Each structure stands twice: as C-alpha cells, then as structure tokens.
Amino acid sequence: MGKTADLTTVQKMNIDTLKKEGKTQKVIAKEVGCSQSSVSKHINREAKGRKRCGRKECTSKRDKRALERIVKQNRFKNVGEIHKEWTVAGVSASRSTTHRRMQDMGFSCRIPRVKPLLNKRQRQKRLAWAQDKKDWTAAEWSKVMFSDESKFCISFGNQGPRVWRKTGEAQNPRCLKSSVKFPQSVMVWGAMSSAAVCPLCFLRSRVNAAVYQEVLEHFMLPAADQLYGGDDFIFQHDLAPAHSAKSTSTWFKDHGIPLLDWPANSPDLNPIENLWGIVKRKMRDARPNNAEELKATIKATWALITPEECNRLVDSMPRRIAAAIQAKGAATKY
C-alpha cells in the first residue's frame, strides 16, 4: 500500500468524501486501497490546514531581520563571518542554515561591479562634457577613434572579494567596488572605431610620452589610414600623463589630428572599455603558461571582434552621455 506522498488526487477526494460519511479510517483505507497510516496523515493534515510537513524552522522573523541587518552593514563579508556575527547576536543556527536564510531573502554572492572613484570637481566636469556632447549623433561618433591601455594577467581568477546583493542591486553604492586610474605598468594598447579594431601594441616598458608617441607613429597612424583613408577623424585618449604631455600634444598638432576633449577618470564613457571586457570574458577559460602564450591568446581573441560589435558599442555613446547627465556626472553602469 502506498505512502501519503503516493496518494493520487482521486484517492484524496475519496478519503475526504468517506470521512464526511462518518466511516472509520480502517474502512476508508480498505475502500480507497491504501494504508491506514496514509489515511490518518491525510485527514490530520487537512484538519490542521498544513500544506507541508517537515521540521519547524529554527529561526524567527526577528532573527531573519537581524541577519539582513548584518548582511547590509558590510556586504563584502563571507558566509563564515556573517554566521559568526549572527551567532553572537544570540541566534542558534548552523552555517548552512545561515546561507539558506540569506538566499531566501534574495541575497546572492556576486562579483561586484567596478566604478571609478570621482570627486565633486570631476563629476562637475563630466556633467559639463556630457551636456556639451548631448547633441552629437551616432554618425558624428563614428568619426572618433577610441583608444586605451589595458592590463592582462596570466591568471584571471582572482577578482577580489565578492559581494552579497539582491536582484536589482548591482548599482547600489554599497554593492560597488571603487576603482582608480590604471597604473602605469600597462601591457597592451589598442584602439577601435565604429568599423573595426586596430592592431594591438604590446608595451614592454613603462609608458612615458616618448614610448606613447612611438605607439602612435607605428600603430595608430597606419590603422587610421586603413579605417578612414583620407577622411578626417578625431582621436580619443584619456588624461594619463603620457597622453597629456606637452610633447604628445605637439605631436598631434604636427600631424594635424584633432583630439576629443575627455573628462578625467571616465572609463565608463569609453566604449573600448567594454571591448576589453569582451576580450577578457572570451579568454576566461584560457590557461596560458607564460607571457608569450598570453600575448598569442590576446591577439587571437582580439581578432575575433566583429565590425558589428564595434558599431554597436560606438552607437551606445548617445545613451552613455544621457546616462551621465541623468546621474549628474556620477559614474554610470557602462
């Protein structure tokens, strides 16, 4: 004879009907074709209005509120630290119970989004820049060559502490990790337009004005000729010391290349930052053993970037500017 969980819907309806007729559990079990214990459990469950069985939760609503306060105080703690603090607060629960309660509340352990750390003056300048460029069309942005340096490491696994957050809290300031300007020990220079990417340059030394100008001479100029031919274009780079040096400004003037004015510490406004992210995600499963293998992997992955991806990223510039204006110069989700 079947257990309670094995009772069909028809059997349960028959048990309820026979019970109303005043028949005993023994008779009901015989007529329905199940064990007397199954009949008893079903009748008792219906009488008490219980929808499920199992051990009663060891934590109260008050305990759960205390746990949520602990998580929100510092979202970068691991489960062990949160469990210890919850236990100190007087709650008797295991580490696995702590984890389950956090999940029940909607918290998930995620890699925190990174946003640049901006001071008041930088936010004001970003806002002024965005307002000045708000009327630029996608066609105008297609004339800009965006450039940047990025650091690639052999190991991509160490991404720092994770953060506890709920759905929709990715942009919550308490769930973000602040970033600062890239250090000078960058390894790769790259550039892109709305049509394609430029060849990469692997930097072997600290980037000063002289090194940067060599990169421009041997990598940027040939790429610009290929992408724009004889048409005019605007070059974009950030305010790194090598970029803003007087000799670099003179180099651009001598070559007749106009520069796009750019607000400080604003990687979220530069579409090539998203391109670096795409490359690094595609390389996530790669396991290069040395620097040469890493370079080969980067080159191969960079070559897979399609014109459609470049065009989509450059087309996002009006939306990025609108987001910066809406945020009053603060860092945006891009």
Side-chain angles (χ1 to χ4, degrees):
M1 294 190 179
K3 298 180 181 180
T4 308
D6 298 327
L7 292 177
T8 65
T9 303
V10 175
Q11 285 178 316
K12 292 177 181 179
M13 291 175 62
N14 290 336
I15 291 172
D16 295 336
T17 302
L18 295 172
K19 174 64 178 175
K20 290 178 182 179
E21 293 176 358
K23 295 187 178 182
T24 63
Q25 294 182 4
K26 185 175 182 180
V27 174
I28 294 173
K30 187 175 181 180
E31 290 189 19
V32 173
C34 64
S35 67
Q36 187 174 339
S37 63
S38 295
V39 174
S40 177
K41 289 179 180 178
H42 174 72
I43 292 173
N44 290 335
R45 181 179 294 107
E46 292 297 319
K48 295 181 180 180
R50 293 184 302 169
K51 295 185 179 180
R52 65 182 181 87
C53 58
R55 198 174 84 177
K56 186 179 179 181
E57 284 190 8
C58 63
T59 53
S60 64
K61 291 183 179 180
R62 184 178 181 180
D63 295 334
K64 294 176 183 177
R65 289 195 298 270
L67 177 60
E68 187 165 11
R69 284 195 300 270
I70 292 170
V71 176
K72 288 183 175 180
Q73 283 173 0
N74 184 352
R75 294 173 180 259
F76 290 87
K77 290 181 179 178
N78 58 42
V79 176
E81 293 170 330
I82 293 172
H83 168 66
K84 184 177 180 180
E85 194 169 337
W86 200 30
T87 304
V88 171
V91 179
S92 178
S94 66
R95 186 181 184 279
S96 58
T97 297
T98 303
H99 193 193
R100 284 197 303 273
R101 295 295 176 270
M102 292 168 65
Q103 291 178 321
D104 293 341
M105 292 174 190
F107 287 107
S108 299
C109 192
R110 297 286 186 262
I111 296 171
R113 299 260 181 111
V114 179
K115 284 194 175 182
L117 190 63
L118 297 167
N119 57 40
K120 184 178 180 180
R121 185 180 179 185
Q122 289 173 335
R123 290 195 298 270
Q124 291 173 342
K125 288 188 174 182
R126 279 167 54 94
L127 179 58
W129 181 88
Q131 290 173 335
D132 182 59
K133 300 293 187 294
K134 66 180 180 180
D135 295 326
W136 278 36
T137 63
E140 289 176 293
W141 286 111
S142 67
K143 297 179 181 179
V144 178
M145 178 185 284
F146 295 91
S147 70
D148 190 33
E149 295 90 2
S150 186
K151 184 177 181 180
F152 285 77
C153 300
I154 290 179
S155 173
F156 293 96
N158 183 16
Q159 294 172 305
R162 299 172 77 90
V163 63
W164 291 100
R165 70 186 186 213
K166 298 181 181 180
T167 302
E169 289 188 330
Q171 303 300 326
N172 187 322
R174 298 180 65 88
C175 301
L176 297 172
K177 183 172 67 173
S178 296
S179 68
V180 296
K181 189 186 290 289
F182 275 113
Q184 293 297 298
S185 57
V186 292
M187 295 176 62
V188 186
W189 175 91
M192 65 172 289
S193 71
S194 62
V197 294
C198 303
L200 294 175
C201 175
F202 292 93
L203 307 168
R204 297 183 179 182
S205 61
R206 185 180 180 89
V207 181
N208 54 30
V211 172
Y212 184 57
Q213 289 161 34
E214 287 184 9
V215 173
L216 296 173
E217 191 76 40
H218 297 101
F219 288 85
M220 189 273 284
L221 289 180
D225 289 338
Q226 184 177 358
L227 291 173
Y228 298 100
D231 297 336
D232 294 334
F233 72 97
I234 303 172
F235 187 75
Q236 179 277 335
H237 58 192
D238 59 27
L239 301 182
H243 303 172
S244 56
K246 289 184 179 180
S247 60
T248 302
S249 300
T250 302
W251 186 94
F252 279 101
K253 289 179 181 179
D254 293 342
H255 287 78
I257 300 174
L259 290 172
L260 178 68
D261 58 307
W262 195 253
N265 208 7
S266 299
D268 55 317
L269 298 176
N270 193 345
I272 199 172
E273 291 286 350
N274 300 84
L275 208 57
W276 293 131
I278 292 171
V279 172
K280 290 177 180 179
R281 283 194 296 274
K282 289 182 177 180
M283 291 176 57
R284 189 170 291 168
D285 296 329
R287 294 293 181 269
N289 295 313
N290 51 53
E292 292 304 315
E293 290 183 10
L294 178 60
K295 289 180 182 179
T297 304
I298 295 170
K299 282 184 178 179
T301 310
W302 185 258
L304 297 175
I305 299 298
T306 64
E308 290 76 17
E309 286 177 300
C310 295
N311 186 63
R312 176 176 55 82
L313 289 173
V314 175
D315 279 350
S316 71
M317 285 304 298
R319 296 193 299 274
R320 292 170 192 261
I321 290 171
I325 293 174
Q326 186 177 4
K328 297 181 179 179
T332 62
K333 66 178 182 179
Y334 291 97

Short mmCIF file of all heavy atoms in Angstrom, two decimals, residues 31 97 110 115 127 133 150 183 225 239 255 263 302 327 331:
data_model
loop_
_atom_site.label_atom_id
_atom_site.label_comp_id
_atom_site.label_asym_id
_atom_site.label_seq_id
_atom_site.Cartn_x
_atom_site.Cartn_y
_atom_site.Cartn_z
N GLU A 31 -11.39 0.67 1.37
CA GLU A 31 -12.15 1.04 0.18
C GLU A 31 -11.30 1.82 -0.82
O GLU A 31 -11.46 1.66 -2.04
CB GLU A 31 -13.37 1.87 0.59
CG GLU A 31 -14.44 1.04 1.31
CD GLU A 31 -15.72 1.83 1.50
OE1 GLU A 31 -15.92 2.82 0.78
OE2 GLU A 31 -16.51 1.43 2.36
N THR A 97 22.50 26.82 7.51
CA THR A 97 21.21 27.50 7.72
C THR A 97 21.35 28.99 7.46
O THR A 97 20.47 29.62 6.86
CB THR A 97 20.71 27.26 9.16
OG1 THR A 97 20.49 25.86 9.35
CG2 THR A 97 19.41 28.01 9.42
N ARG A 110 27.92 37.67 -5.56
CA ARG A 110 28.29 38.08 -6.90
C ARG A 110 29.61 38.84 -6.90
O ARG A 110 30.02 39.39 -5.87
CB ARG A 110 27.20 39.00 -7.48
CG ARG A 110 25.85 38.31 -7.66
CD ARG A 110 25.89 37.37 -8.85
NE ARG A 110 24.58 36.79 -9.12
CZ ARG A 110 24.18 35.60 -8.71
NH1 ARG A 110 25.01 34.86 -7.99
NH2 ARG A 110 22.99 35.15 -9.00
N LYS A 115 33.37 50.73 -10.37
CA LYS A 115 33.11 52.08 -10.87
C LYS A 115 34.24 53.00 -10.44
O LYS A 115 34.79 52.84 -9.35
CB LYS A 115 31.78 52.62 -10.35
CG LYS A 115 30.57 52.01 -11.04
CD LYS A 115 29.33 52.79 -10.73
CE LYS A 115 28.15 52.27 -11.53
NZ LYS A 115 26.93 53.05 -11.28
N LEU A 127 29.76 66.20 -16.13
CA LEU A 127 28.42 66.67 -16.46
C LEU A 127 28.48 67.75 -17.55
O LEU A 127 27.69 67.72 -18.51
CB LEU A 127 27.74 67.22 -15.21
CG LEU A 127 26.33 67.79 -15.39
CD1 LEU A 127 25.39 66.73 -15.97
CD2 LEU A 127 25.79 68.32 -14.07
N LYS A 133 28.17 67.39 -25.34
CA LYS A 133 28.15 66.37 -26.39
C LYS A 133 26.77 65.71 -26.56
O LYS A 133 26.65 64.77 -27.35
CB LYS A 133 29.17 65.27 -26.05
CG LYS A 133 30.61 65.74 -25.91
CD LYS A 133 31.17 66.22 -27.23
CE LYS A 133 32.65 66.54 -27.15
NZ LYS A 133 32.96 67.69 -26.28
N SER A 150 45.23 48.54 -21.48
CA SER A 150 44.64 47.60 -20.53
C SER A 150 45.67 46.57 -20.09
O SER A 150 46.58 46.23 -20.86
CB SER A 150 43.44 46.88 -21.15
OG SER A 150 42.79 46.07 -20.18
N PRO A 183 47.20 51.84 -13.45
CA PRO A 183 48.60 52.11 -13.13
C PRO A 183 49.42 52.26 -14.42
O PRO A 183 48.97 51.90 -15.50
CB PRO A 183 49.03 50.86 -12.34
CG PRO A 183 48.11 49.79 -12.80
CD PRO A 183 46.79 50.48 -13.07
N ASP A 225 44.83 55.26 -41.39
CA ASP A 225 44.82 55.27 -42.85
C ASP A 225 43.93 54.16 -43.41
O ASP A 225 43.21 54.35 -44.39
CB ASP A 225 46.24 55.10 -43.40
CG ASP A 225 47.09 56.35 -43.16
OD1 ASP A 225 46.50 57.43 -42.97
OD2 ASP A 225 48.33 56.23 -43.14
N LEU A 239 43.35 61.02 -19.89
CA LEU A 239 44.30 62.05 -19.42
C LEU A 239 45.50 61.46 -18.67
O LEU A 239 46.02 62.08 -17.74
CB LEU A 239 43.55 63.03 -18.51
CG LEU A 239 42.36 63.74 -19.16
CD1 LEU A 239 41.73 64.73 -18.18
CD2 LEU A 239 42.78 64.46 -20.43
N HIS A 255 50.86 66.50 -36.74
CA HIS A 255 50.26 65.54 -37.68
C HIS A 255 48.85 65.96 -38.09
O HIS A 255 48.20 65.24 -38.88
CB HIS A 255 50.23 64.14 -37.05
CG HIS A 255 51.56 63.48 -36.97
ND1 HIS A 255 52.50 63.79 -36.00
CD2 HIS A 255 52.15 62.54 -37.78
CE1 HIS A 255 53.58 63.05 -36.18
NE2 HIS A 255 53.40 62.29 -37.26
N PRO A 263 36.84 63.94 -20.21
CA PRO A 263 36.84 64.17 -18.76
C PRO A 263 37.71 63.15 -18.01
O PRO A 263 37.85 62.01 -18.45
CB PRO A 263 35.36 64.00 -18.38
CG PRO A 263 34.80 63.12 -19.45
CD PRO A 263 35.55 63.43 -20.71
N TRP A 302 41.36 39.08 -29.83
CA TRP A 302 41.12 40.43 -30.37
C TRP A 302 40.71 40.36 -31.84
O TRP A 302 39.87 41.13 -32.29
CB TRP A 302 42.39 41.26 -30.19
CG TRP A 302 42.31 42.70 -30.59
CD1 TRP A 302 42.79 43.26 -31.74
CD2 TRP A 302 41.72 43.78 -29.85
NE1 TRP A 302 42.55 44.61 -31.76
CE2 TRP A 302 41.90 44.97 -30.61
CE3 TRP A 302 41.08 43.87 -28.63
CZ2 TRP A 302 41.45 46.21 -30.18
CZ3 TRP A 302 40.63 45.11 -28.19
CH2 TRP A 302 40.82 46.26 -28.96
N ALA A 327 22.75 61.04 -14.21
CA ALA A 327 23.45 60.78 -12.96
C ALA A 327 24.15 62.03 -12.41
O ALA A 327 24.87 61.95 -11.41
CB ALA A 327 24.45 59.66 -13.14
N ALA A 331 29.42 58.27 -11.92
CA ALA A 331 29.73 57.12 -12.75
C ALA A 331 28.46 56.38 -13.11
O ALA A 331 27.51 56.31 -12.33
CB ALA A 331 30.70 56.19 -12.03
#
